[in-house]
């Protein structure tokens, strides 16, 4: 495979509300690699450059969440979509607009992977004294870069390979070295071994930063994304902003969340279930759950419902970019309203959709009318891993052993968190087929704007509409990657 232009061009400007002084940076857009890695602060810059690139429009800032991925998941009415999405909506991947979108996601993601590998190739031999936080900081940076490498590869596999292994077939490469312009394509099982290996190592490296003593408090519901910020001040004894805002980084619990997703992807449901247990039972030093569902009363101020978010990225222009789509001629109207939202008690229906004429639009990415620190942070927040997905994974485990009663209980925990009418699934889910149908419907309600709906249809091989082919779930490689 021909991977080109995977060079480090890491931006050293990283923006989060309250985090602009996270570190002192050289006033340039990029640095020479040797200069960049000459200090511990340079490693911080490099890591945050990866996060910033991931939040760009070609990746999770748009196309790999509320843009292309949700178009593929038929979240929106196809008839009203912008012209640039027409081909993707119809799975016409050979059209130029579709090729442009596919190439952008591929090239940006593999560039971020290359930047992760560049950092990883250097940090292992560094003396911990180079970092102001010593060995813990060194391990945290290495662990996060390793976890991001795994997450990025995993999403490429979910897009560019089928959901199930095909005998003697290979798909895409897993890059572990820097520099590297060629690695062989791997089978799904070979590829996933590397994803899981990286995540398992990453969580070991990051664990002390997020789980030891008072550090776990930095991940609780008040601190994870806002860090208890009042008038710009950081509370809870954080003297170094590198240690703050752990929700905006792939923290220990977020790594476990991606790991649970990975195990479920390969059908190891019991392993996935066991990992979710640590996430849903995690507490801070006051015994308050780190992750809990956002109350209805808080949703207007917090439409991303980030109290139940394990990890998110940040893009300063996110709300502006989404508002531009909202105001454009081509609209991102939510499709299948009467099918997907059948419960008026569900606050995802009443609070996270707005009516535009006779149609509905998701408000998740629109700026809140409430002027507060929470709403300002929420406007920039890109959801990546949610608590609800952990309960869906647990439901999949129970369904895999034909225990549909407990599968329903796990799904109902999320439904109760969204204030849905209780007991609706009891008479519906009776077998694997009905379970999958209802889980997909739950995902459609839960993950609007987050790029996950497409993957739920894909992993269960459920056509999104009757004429859809199984092959439509797998994106073709960009033209440049098919030329040896």
């Amino acid at each position: 495979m021909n991977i080109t232009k995977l060079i480090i061009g890491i931006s050293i400007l990283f923006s989060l509300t309250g985090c602009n002084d996270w570190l002192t940076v050289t006033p340039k857009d990029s640095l020479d690699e040797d200069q960049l890695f000459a200090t511990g602060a340079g490693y911080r810059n490099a890591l945050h450059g990866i996060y910033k690139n991931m939040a760009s429009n070609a990746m999770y800032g748009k196309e790999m969440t509320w843009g292309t991925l949700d178009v593929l998941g038929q979240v929106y009415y196809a008839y009203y979509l912008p012209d640039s999405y027409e081909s993707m909506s119809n799975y016409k991947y050979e059209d130029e607009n579709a090729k442009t979108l596919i190439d952008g996601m591929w090239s940006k993601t593999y560039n971020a992977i290359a930047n992760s590998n560049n950092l990883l190739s250097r940090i292992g031999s560094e003396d911990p004294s180079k970092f102001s936080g010593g060995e813990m900081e060194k391990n945290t940076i290495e662990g996060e870069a390793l976890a991001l490498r795994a997450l990025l590869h995993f999403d490429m596999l979910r897009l560019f390979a089928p959901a199930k292994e095909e005998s003697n077939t290979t798909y895409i490469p897993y890059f572990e070295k820097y520099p590297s312009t060629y690695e062989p394509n791997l089978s799904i099982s070979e590829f996933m071994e590397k994803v899981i290996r990286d995540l398992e190592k990453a969580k070991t490296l990051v664990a002390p930063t997020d789980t030891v003593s008072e550090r776990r408090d930095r991940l609780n519901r008040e601190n994870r994304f806002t860090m208890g910020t009042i008038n710009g001040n950081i509370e809870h004894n954080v003297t170094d902003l590198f240690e703050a805002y752990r929700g905006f980084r792939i923290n220990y619990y977020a790594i476990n969340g991606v790991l649970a997703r990975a195990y479920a992807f390969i059908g190891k449901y019991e392993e996935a279930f066991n990992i979710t247990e640590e996430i849903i039972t995690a507490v801070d030093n006051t015994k308050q759950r780190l992750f809990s569902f956002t109350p209805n009363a808080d949703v207007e101020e917090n439409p991303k419902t980030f109290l139940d978010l394990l990890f998110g990225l940040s893009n300063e222009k996110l709300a502006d970019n989404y508002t531009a789509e909202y105001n454009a001629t081509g609209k991102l109207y939510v499709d299948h309203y009467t099918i997907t939202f059948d419960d008026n008690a569900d606050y995802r229906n009443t609070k996270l959709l707005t009516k535009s004429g006779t149609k509905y639009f998701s408000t998740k990415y629109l700026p809140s009318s409430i002027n507060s620190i929470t709403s300002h942070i929420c406007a920039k927040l890109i959801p990546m891993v949610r608590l609800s997905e952990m309960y869906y994974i647990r439901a999949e485990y129970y369904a895999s052993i034909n225990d549909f009663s407990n599968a329903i209980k796990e799904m109902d925990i999320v439904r109760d968190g969204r204030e849905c009418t209780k007991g609706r699934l009891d008479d519906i889910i009776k077998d694997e087929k009905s379970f999958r149908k209802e889980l997909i419907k739950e995902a459609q309600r839960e993950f609007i704007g987050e790029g996950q709906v497409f993957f739920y249809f894909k992993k269960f091989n459920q056509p999104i509409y009757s004429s859809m082919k199984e092959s439509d779930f797998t994106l073709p490689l960009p033209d440049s990657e098919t030329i040896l």
Side-chain angles (χ1 to χ4, degrees):
M1 182 160 290
N2 205 13
I3 305 293
T4 59
K5 297 183 180 178
L6 297 184
I7 58 174
I8 191 165
I10 297 175
S11 169
I12 60 173
L13 301 177
F14 183 73
S15 53
L16 289 175
T17 298
C19 297
N20 292 330
D21 296 325
W22 182 73
L23 44 80
T24 303
V25 297
T26 305
K28 296 180 181 179
D29 288 335
S30 61
L31 293 173
D32 172 83
E33 289 183 39
D34 290 334
Q35 183 184 357
L36 180 68
F37 294 112
T39 65
Y43 278 95
R44 293 183 177 191
N45 292 339
L47 178 64
H48 281 268
I50 298 166
Y51 282 113
K52 185 174 182 181
N53 287 342
M54 288 173 62
S56 67
N57 283 359
M59 294 183 68
Y60 300 100
K62 182 180 181 182
E63 302 307 348
M64 293 172 68
T65 50
W66 57 272
T68 296
L69 263 291
D70 270 4
V71 169
L72 290 173
Q74 302 299 322
V75 170
Y76 310 118
Y77 274 110
Y79 180 80
Y80 297 98
L81 283 171
D83 291 342
S84 59
Y85 287 133
E86 180 180 358
S87 298
M88 293 301 270
S89 178
N90 292 297
Y91 309 110
K92 294 181 179 179
Y93 301 134
E94 71 282 358
D95 289 359
E96 286 306 312
N97 281 341
K99 285 184 176 182
T100 298
L101 291 168
I102 291 169
D103 183 72
M105 291 187 292
W106 173 275
S107 60
K108 279 283 189 179
T109 299
Y110 272 103
N111 185 266
I113 289 169
N115 291 339
S116 299
N117 282 336
N118 193 9
L119 187 159
L120 290 166
S121 71
R122 294 167 177 267
I123 197 168
S125 60
E126 293 286 10
D127 190 314
S129 65
K130 190 171 190 174
F131 302 86
S132 62
E135 185 173 13
M136 183 177 288
E137 179 178 330
K138 176 187 173 182
N139 288 345
T140 300
I141 293 172
E142 181 178 2
E144 289 184 32
L146 199 59
L148 294 178
R149 180 174 84 180
L151 181 154
L152 293 165
H153 274 109
F154 185 25
D155 275 355
M156 288 295 94
L157 185 77
R158 293 202 292 169
L159 284 172
F160 292 93
K164 301 298 181 183
E165 189 89 68
E166 294 181 7
S167 180
N168 300 319
T169 305
T170 59
Y171 300 98
I172 62 173
Y174 199 96
F175 281 79
E176 305 171 72
K177 296 177 287 188
Y178 183 90
S180 178
T181 57
Y182 173 83
E183 295 293 336
N185 288 347
L186 301 176
S187 67
I188 291 175
S189 58
E190 291 171 330
F191 194 97
M192 289 306 297
E193 283 179 7
K194 294 178 181 292
V195 169
I196 290 170
R197 175 207 63 196
D198 280 357
L199 291 170
E200 292 281 10
K201 182 178 178 181
K203 78 174 193 176
T204 301
L205 289 166
V206 172
T209 294
D210 294 325
T211 62
V212 175
S213 189
E214 78 284 351
R215 289 178 174 273
R216 73 187 72 175
D217 290 343
R218 300 171 188 180
L219 271 167
N220 72 16
R221 55 188 292 169
E222 284 80 20
N223 300 336
R224 193 159 63 250
F225 293 102
T226 65
M227 207 56 213
T229 306
I230 301 174
N231 297 323
N233 297 318
I234 308 298
E235 297 184 338
H236 300 283
N237 301 316
V238 176
T239 58
D240 185 343
L241 281 175
F242 178 75
E243 298 185 359
Y245 302 97
R246 293 295 294 157
F248 283 107
R249 308 254 294 279
I250 192 161
N251 57 74
Y252 174 76
Y253 295 100
I255 295 171
N256 274 294
V258 178
L259 187 58
R261 181 187 289 173
Y263 275 122
F265 178 82
I266 60 174
K268 291 190 174 183
Y269 298 113
E270 186 172 5
E271 289 88 339
F273 180 96
N274 291 337
I275 292 168
T276 65
E277 189 75 16
E278 183 175 9
I279 296 168
I280 66 175
T281 60
V283 295
D284 63 17
N285 288 318
T286 67
K287 304 305 179 183
Q288 176 182 251
R289 288 281 178 90
L290 295 185
F291 310 103
S292 57
F293 291 102
T294 303
N296 189 341
D298 296 344
V299 174
E300 186 177 355
E301 181 181 20
N302 178 11
K304 302 283 176 58
T305 61
F306 62 65
L307 298 186
D308 44 273
L309 199 63
L310 279 63
F311 165 47
L313 298 168
S314 177
N315 183 326
E316 289 282 339
K317 300 294 184 181
L318 182 63
D320 291 341
N321 293 340
Y322 188 75
T323 301
E325 295 283 355
Y326 178 76
N327 292 327
T329 302
K331 298 288 188 182
L332 303 180
Y333 289 127
V334 175
D335 200 356
H336 304 310
Y337 177 82
T338 57
I339 298 173
T340 306
F341 290 93
D342 56 2
D343 184 353
N344 288 330
D346 185 344
Y347 76 54
R348 295 168 298 187
N349 173 6
T350 59
K351 293 286 185 71
L352 296 179
L353 292 175
T354 185
K355 202 166 186 179
S356 178
T358 60
K359 299 176 181 63
Y360 291 82
F361 204 96
S362 171
T363 61
K364 223 179 238 186
Y365 287 83
L366 290 175
S368 170
S369 59
I370 298 175
N371 183 12
S372 69
I373 289 172
T374 295
S375 63
H376 291 167
I377 288 178
C378 193
K380 305 168 187 180
L381 178 58
I382 304 163
M384 293 292 288
V385 185
R386 280 201 181 276
L387 177 65
S388 51
E389 183 181 358
M390 302 302 106
Y391 286 104
Y392 296 156
I393 288 171
R394 294 167 69 83
E396 286 187 71
Y397 162 69
Y398 283 119
S400 73
I401 58 174
N402 295 316
D403 184 352
F404 296 105
S405 175
N406 273 316
I408 290 170
K409 288 179 181 178
E410 298 292 345
M411 294 167 70
D412 273 346
I413 290 172
V414 182
R415 290 174 57 79
D416 185 57
R418 305 307 185 202
E419 299 197 350
C420 296
T421 303
K422 295 182 179 180
R424 285 199 165 200
L425 300 179
D426 294 342
D427 296 326
I428 298 175
I429 296 178
K430 301 296 183 183
D431 53 23
E432 182 69 22
K433 182 178 180 180
S434 57
F435 165 75
R436 290 183 173 188
K437 181 178 179 180
E438 291 305 312
L439 184 59
I440 288 173
K441 288 172 69 176
E442 287 299 317
Q444 287 178 295
R445 286 185 274 267
E446 182 70 4
F447 297 122
I448 289 176
E450 300 181 19
Q452 297 300 318
V453 172
F454 177 70
F455 294 129
Y456 273 82
F457 279 103
K458 179 173 181 174
K459 73 176 176 177
F460 293 139
N461 192 25
Q462 298 295 309
I464 306 177
Y465 56 80
S466 58
S467 62
M468 186 178 182
K469 305 184 296 295
E470 184 175 353
S471 59
D472 292 336
F473 281 119
T474 303
L475 301 187
L477 297 178
D479 288 343
S480 60
E481 305 309 323
T482 60
I483 301 172
L484 295 180

